[in-house]
Amino acid sequence: MNTALECLSPAKLNLFLHICGKRDDGYHELQTLFQLIDLCDSLAFNINESGNIHVTGMPDVPDADNLIVKAAKKLQAMTHKNHLGVDIHVEKRIPQGGGLGGGSSNAATTLLALNYLWSCQLDQDALLEIGKTLGADVPIFILGTNAFAEGIGELLTPVEIPPYAYLLAIPPCHVSTQKLFSHPRLTRDTKKKRIAAVLEEDGSFKNDFEPLTRQLYPEIDAIFTWLSQYGKPRMTGTGACIYLTFDSTSQAQKVALELADLALQAGCKIAVVNGLNKTPVFSALDN
C-alpha cells in the first residue's frame, strides 16, 4: 500500500455567478460556470496508523475551521478507517478570501487522495455526497473538470471551455462570503439560463455579487476602474479577486507588465494564470 502522495490542488474562476432565488432552508439557488486554473496549492500526504489527522502549513486556521481536517474526518468516519491517520503538509499559493475556492479545493483534494491512500474505494458519487456537506464549491473540485453548476452548486454538467489565459488581480483585502450572502442589498432574482445560452455567452452574464462587493470594498472598486482600460474585468466568487480574459498567455503577460507599477502602489498582486481542463489531482492518482 502506498503511504505517501503529493498533489496539486487547483483554484477556480467563476466565469459568471447568478443568484436565482433563496430556498426555504436558507440556501441560495445559483447558476455559475466554473473554470479550473493552474494556480495551485500543494498538499503532501503521509498516512500512518495513529488515527490522528495532523495538518501543517496553515497556522492561522484552527482545526475546527479547517476544511482539510473536516474532509479527512468525514471520510474516516464514513469508511470506518478510524485506525488510520495522516500527516498533511500544505504549501499555500491560493489566497484566502479571494473567491478562488482554495479551501474547497484543498478539501476535495484531501477526499480524493485519502480515498486512494486509505483504500476506501468510494466512487465519485459517494465522494460528491461528502463534498456537498463541506461546502458549495467542493463538488466541482471532486468532479475535476470545468462545469456549469446549478442548485446550491452541486448539480454539475461538465463543459469544454477554450484554453484562455487570465490576468488575475489579487487585492489586499479579505471578503466575507457570509457577510455578502446575508446582506439585505444583495439581489437574488436573476432569471435562470439554459446551458445552451451559457455556452454561447451573449454578454448578459454577470456576477451578482459584484455591485455589492464594489460598494463595500473601495479597494476592489478601484482595481475594477484601472483594469477596465484593458478589457472587461470580472470578479470571481464573492471576491476579492478580479480577472481579465485573454486569448494567449503572452497577451496577459504584456498587460501584467504595464500594470506592475500601478498594482504595487495599490498593494495589489498580479498573476497570469491559464485555464485547465482537468484537475492535476487525477494525474497524481494515476501515477
Side-chain angles (χ1 to χ4, degrees):
M1 181 175 67
N2 291 324
T3 61
L5 182 69
E6 186 167 352
C7 297
L8 293 176
S9 181
K12 58 80 179 170
L13 298 176
N14 296 93
L15 300 188
F16 73 90
L17 179 52
H18 293 170
I19 309 171
C20 306
K22 190 172 183 180
R23 308 191 322 186
D24 292 339
D25 61 8
Y27 286 99
H28 288 78
E29 287 280 344
L30 307 174
Q31 285 190 319
T32 189
L33 185 59
F34 284 114
Q35 165 72 72
L36 301 178
I37 57 174
D38 63 0
L39 175 63
C40 299
D41 293 336
S42 179
L43 276 67
F45 300 86
N46 285 278
I47 65 171
N48 55 59
E49 296 183 355
S50 69
N52 298 318
I53 312 298
H54 184 229
V55 177
T56 57
M58 302 180 68
D60 297 332
V61 183
D63 283 357
D65 299 327
N66 194 322
L67 285 177
I68 294 173
V69 176
K70 291 180 179 181
K73 288 186 174 180
K74 279 182 178 287
L75 183 65
Q76 191 182 50
M78 175 171 285
T79 58
H80 307 291
K81 299 287 185 178
N82 297 312
H83 62 291
L84 293 177
V86 64
D87 294 297
I88 306 171
H89 181 69
V90 185
E91 294 285 345
K92 288 295 292 181
R93 301 180 187 92
I94 304 170
Q96 294 174 290
L100 298 172
S104 296
S105 179
N106 293 169
T109 299
T110 298
L111 290 174
L112 290 166
L114 293 182
N115 185 53
Y116 168 74
L117 290 171
W118 284 346
S119 299
C120 299
Q121 299 183 330
L122 296 184
D123 62 17
Q124 187 180 72
D125 287 342
L127 292 173
L128 286 168
E129 286 300 315
I130 300 174
K132 285 192 295 186
T133 69
L134 294 166
D137 285 347
V138 177
I140 181 61
F141 294 106
I142 294 173
L143 180 69
T145 62
N146 301 321
F148 173 58
E150 299 182 275
I152 61 172
E154 86 285 13
L155 303 176
L156 300 169
T157 303
V159 298
E160 290 285 336
I161 299 175
Y164 293 119
Y166 302 92
L167 186 149
L168 189 63
I170 307 169
C173 63
H174 180 288
V175 172
S176 169
T177 298
Q178 183 177 5
K179 178 180 178 180
L180 290 183
F181 265 114
S182 61
H183 202 285
R185 292 207 302 273
L186 178 66
T187 59
R188 301 172 172 87
D189 57 357
T190 297
K191 186 177 179 180
K192 288 186 177 182
K193 302 277 190 178
R194 294 180 180 273
I195 190 168
V198 171
L199 298 178
E200 291 172 3
E201 171 59 293
D202 61 6
S204 67
F205 295 90
K206 60 190 187 302
N207 185 329
D208 285 335
F209 287 101
E210 181 188 313
L212 180 59
T213 304
R214 294 179 68 173
Q215 292 170 20
L216 297 177
Y217 298 88
E219 58 270 62
I220 292 176
D221 184 62
I223 293 170
F224 265 95
T225 299
W226 48 262
L227 282 180
S228 62
Q229 63 185 306
Y230 295 98
K232 183 178 180 180
R234 297 198 177 196
M235 190 176 76
T236 181
T238 55
C241 291
I242 307 134
Y243 64 92
L244 290 170
T245 305
F246 294 89
D247 289 330
S248 70
T249 303
S250 60
Q251 290 176 330
Q253 290 172 335
K254 180 176 183 294
V255 173
L257 286 173
E258 293 179 17
L259 288 172
D261 289 341
L262 191 57
L264 184 63
Q265 294 171 16
C268 174
K269 295 181 180 179
I270 295 288
V272 173
V273 300
N274 294 283
L276 296 173
N277 286 315
K278 185 170 71 170
T279 177
V281 178
F282 293 161
S283 297
L285 297 179
D286 289 339
N287 290 336

